[in-house]
Amino acid sequence: MDSGESPVELKKGKAKKAKESLLKQKSPAEFFADNKNIAGFDNPGKSLYTTIRELVENSLDSAESISQLPVVEITIEEIGKSKFNSMIGLIDRERVDEALYDDFETIKAREKRLAKEARQQEMQLKKAASGKTLKEPTAAKGMKGRGETSIYKVSCKDNGRGMAHDDIPNMFGRVLSGTKYGLKQTRGKFGLGAKMALIWSKMSTGLPIEILSSTRGQKFKSFCRLDIDIQRNIPHIHVHEKRENKELWHGAEIHVVIEGNWTTHRSKILHYMRQMAVITPYAEFLFKFVTDAQDKNVTIKFARRTDVMPPVPLETKHHPSSVDLLLIKRLIEETSKQNLLQFLQHEFVNIGKSYAERLIGEMGPDFGPKTPVKSLTSQQLVRIHQLFRQAKFDDPSGDCLSPAGEYNLRLGIIKELHPDLVATYSGSPQVFEGHPFIVETGVSVGGKDVKQGLNIFRFANRIPLLFEQGADVVTRTAMKRINWNSYKINQTQDKIGVFVSIVSTKIPFKGTGKEYIGDDISEIASAVKNSIKQCCLQLKTKIVKKIQAREQLERKRILKRYITDVSSAIHGVLKETARLQVAKKRRYGEEDAEMLDNVLANVIKKATLEEKLAQHVEQVDFEMAMDFATHGGVSEEPREAIFLLPLESKSDFVQLHTPAFVIRIFQ
């Protein structure tokens, strides 16, 4: 039967179907370029914030990995259109059709705006004349959409480990390559970091990234200028050379030019730096924003307040209850152990020899201690996985974790907020899904630049979390599960700071932005609630003592207020009694008669009684204060100990960490 199609048409149809059936592949770099919101590059403003965040956290990780007290310098330089055009070799061009641009203002719109500004100015003058408080005039609306953005050169310099010369291109120009893929507590999650900043730079400005780096004792600096081949996920190197390093500097210095929006995310960036200074008081930060408008320049230094650093987090092995089938297969491929008994003992935590033998016995007759681990079938791997899910295992210890420590958390809060009262608590290691975690909490009352009500500060693996706060487990716990009134704290009127830091080998972030921890993991929710309550109990004790001291002062003030009237009344009664004694209408004992004679002789005056009563009030107040102090109280405002930095020294010492203090044994 004739289909009515010619051979040429049939051939074209087959070619079209074959073309449609071809699979398309994307490189990791192309995937993240298309889905940049996954890495926190939602818009120009958020992209500027995320770039700074990634560079700062990489710098801290780099310095902490060699136990070097971090010094991090961040500079954001606003680049005007003319300067940017000269950087890329583009000649400025005057506008021909003004109405084509989204910042174009018609004559009618301009007249309307000027009239509105005139009315506002007139109202300001009237308010000034009447003595009323003046408000800042409303700023004119800027350009719409992407027109609000500007070009910024972001620079970050640190004193960390530095990078090997040959590794730099792949560390910055190849997505999903890095050093943070072991099972350990890390600030990073996806291994993106500065790579995503480079992708955003390529998308928004087209300019390459510049890296200057050197390791300890290295006599040269590595300089590299590169961008990334998005489709192939490989670095495109412009310059890669070695330069002289006379000062033996070590660390990294990174420069990237990106599109951003400082105006919309200024507060977030500064808030992030302040919170980072709270959680890392052993680091020194210097932040600068530079623009042509001198009055808008910003320079903030967050000084170091301690030289005690948390221990470096250790890489650990997987807990049996947390592994999946795919991970078991990968561990078998990578293990150097030959038989099943050795594999179970050495690739997982909390499986000793005797327990491994019991597990193997439970697996069935097809398994034995000497079974070659590489020869296990898919069915046997499923059996191992099922047993791991059903068997009992001891919880992993928290030895692999590196919390900030109560000392650092407390010091950071005092340094940045200057609160009236502060309490901290570090919980013991707990477990969810086989992963250990520690919750550290601080609660403060009062302070500088703190708003009334709850001010919540969240940290995950010592990273400040600033977005999507409403759904976070810390926010929900602090606002809904804590009865602040029962701890003598007014939730709406007091300035309350709640600081919660969670560290773990796996932070259960919700969503792709890594900005909040969900409220659905009962172990974490319970630990957060308990740690906040422990801080509140400490604060309640301090607040009650303050209330008692205040009441004591109030009693003293009231007694002193009536000394004059009481003295006058008593002196009058004594005088009248003395007259009655002279008239022999009453008889008194020898001592009383002598006192009454002194009253008549004006030896005991009204001023004498006032002095004696004042001394009595002071004596009673002193006795009450001593009794108060004996029971652990204080009669003055609580004071925080001042930490003084030690003089620079090169003494060798061993440092032992506990949640509450640090012991140094000098050698």
Side-chain angles (χ1 to χ4, degrees), residues 131-179:
K132 293 182 180 179
T133 305
L134 297 179
K135 292 184 179 179
E136 290 294 327
T138 307
K141 292 184 179 179
M143 296 177 288
K144 300 177 291 183
R146 296 178 67 85
E148 293 181 351
T149 63
S150 297
I151 304 299
Y152 300 93
K153 181 180 180 181
V154 180
S155 305
C156 184
K157 183 179 180 181
D158 64 63
N159 61 338
R161 179 190 293 274
M163 293 164 278
H165 181 78
D166 294 333
D167 291 342
I168 292 175
N170 281 332
M171 292 183 76
F172 285 87
R174 193 185 297 272
V175 173
L176 299 185
S177 65
T179 59

Side-chain angles (χ1 to χ4, degrees), residues 335-562:
T335 187
S336 60
K337 304 305 175 184
Q338 299 300 316
N339 59 55
L340 183 57
L341 181 64
Q342 294 174 335
F343 173 72
L344 294 177
Q345 282 183 255
H346 293 92
E347 297 296 337
F348 300 96
V349 295
N350 296 356
I351 298 183
K353 183 178 179 181
S354 60
Y355 205 76
E357 290 173 344
R358 290 176 61 189
L359 288 171
I360 293 171
E362 189 66 23
M363 291 176 190
D366 297 335
F367 297 85
K370 300 296 184 182
T371 301
V373 71
K374 302 285 186 182
S375 67
L376 293 172
T377 65
S378 298
Q379 291 80 7
Q380 288 176 312
L381 294 181
V382 171
R383 175 61 185 140
I384 294 174
H385 179 237
Q386 290 175 346
L387 185 59
F388 278 178
R389 288 299 178 91
Q390 296 168 1
K392 293 188 300 182
F393 298 96
D394 291 337
D395 290 336
S397 69
D399 296 342
C400 59
L401 301 179
S402 176
E406 276 193 71
Y407 176 81
N408 278 335
L409 181 59
R410 185 182 188 87
L411 191 63
I413 295 171
I414 294 170
K415 177 172 77 82
E416 293 302 321
L417 271 69
H418 304 284
D420 301 324
L421 296 172
V422 62
T424 55
Y425 176 78
S426 181
S428 57
Q430 298 186 52
V431 179
F432 78 96
E433 298 177 0
H435 293 277
F437 72 94
I438 292 176
V439 176
E440 297 177 295
T441 303
V443 178
S444 65
V445 178
K448 181 181 70 173
D449 300 330
V450 183
K451 297 178 182 178
Q452 283 187 330
L454 289 175
N455 298 266
I456 298 173
F457 303 82
R458 303 169 293 134
F459 305 90
N461 281 348
R462 294 192 267 130
I463 296 175
L465 305 178
L466 271 62
F467 293 89
E468 302 184 53
Q469 179 171 298
D472 190 89
V473 62
V474 177
T475 306
R476 288 176 177 264
T477 300
M479 301 191 80
K480 297 181 179 180
R481 301 181 187 130
I482 302 296
N483 183 3
W484 296 95
N485 289 330
S486 63
Y487 300 104
K488 309 295 183 183
I489 299 173
N490 190 313
Q491 184 174 345
T492 56
Q493 295 183 3
D494 289 336
K495 298 178 178 180
I496 309 166
V498 180
F499 303 79
V500 178
S501 173
I502 302 173
V503 295
S504 177
T505 53
K506 180 185 178 182
I507 297 290
F509 288 112
K510 293 291 183 181
T512 56
K514 302 188 301 175
E515 289 293 350
Y516 77 102
I517 300 170
D519 196 30
D520 55 342
I521 299 175
S522 59
E523 296 91 342
I524 293 180
S526 175
V528 169
K529 180 180 178 181
N530 179 64
S531 61
I532 294 176
K533 289 177 71 173
Q534 291 296 327
C535 290
C536 290
L537 286 171
Q538 296 177 44
L539 286 178
K540 182 179 180 180
T541 303
K542 295 181 179 182
I543 292 170
V544 167
K545 290 174 183 176
K546 284 188 70 175
I547 292 172
Q548 290 174 342
R550 197 180 301 120
E551 290 175 348
Q552 182 182 335
L553 289 173
E554 182 64 17
R555 284 195 299 269
K556 181 178 176 181
R557 187 181 65 80
I558 292 172
L559 286 172
K560 282 187 173 181
R561 184 195 301 171
Y562 292 107

Side-chain angles (χ1 to χ4, degrees), residues 54-110:
E54 294 288 0
L55 295 180
V56 168
E57 288 161 13
N58 283 348
S59 294
L60 290 173
D61 281 337
S62 178
E64 290 171 3
S65 67
I66 56 173
S67 298
Q68 176 79 38
L69 290 169
V71 177
V72 184
E73 299 177 15
I74 310 100
T75 303
I76 305 173
E77 180 186 355
E78 188 173 29
I79 298 174
K81 179 185 173 183
S82 297
K83 185 176 179 181
F84 174 70
N85 287 347
S86 66
M87 290 171 66
I88 62 175
L90 183 66
I91 300 173
D92 285 341
R93 177 179 169 82
E94 294 292 331
R95 292 182 179 183
V96 178
D97 186 357
E98 288 283 350
L100 187 65
Y101 298 89
D102 67 355
D103 60 347
F104 174 72
E105 189 176 38
T106 63
I107 296 174
K108 186 176 180 180
R110 183 173 181 274

Side-chain angles (χ1 to χ4, degrees), residues 116-134:
K116 183 178 179 181
E117 290 176 358
R119 287 196 301 271
Q120 287 181 340
Q121 189 174 7
E122 187 179 349
M123 289 176 65
Q124 293 283 331
L125 291 173
K126 287 181 179 178
K127 287 182 178 180
S130 61
K132 293 182 180 179
T133 305
L134 297 179

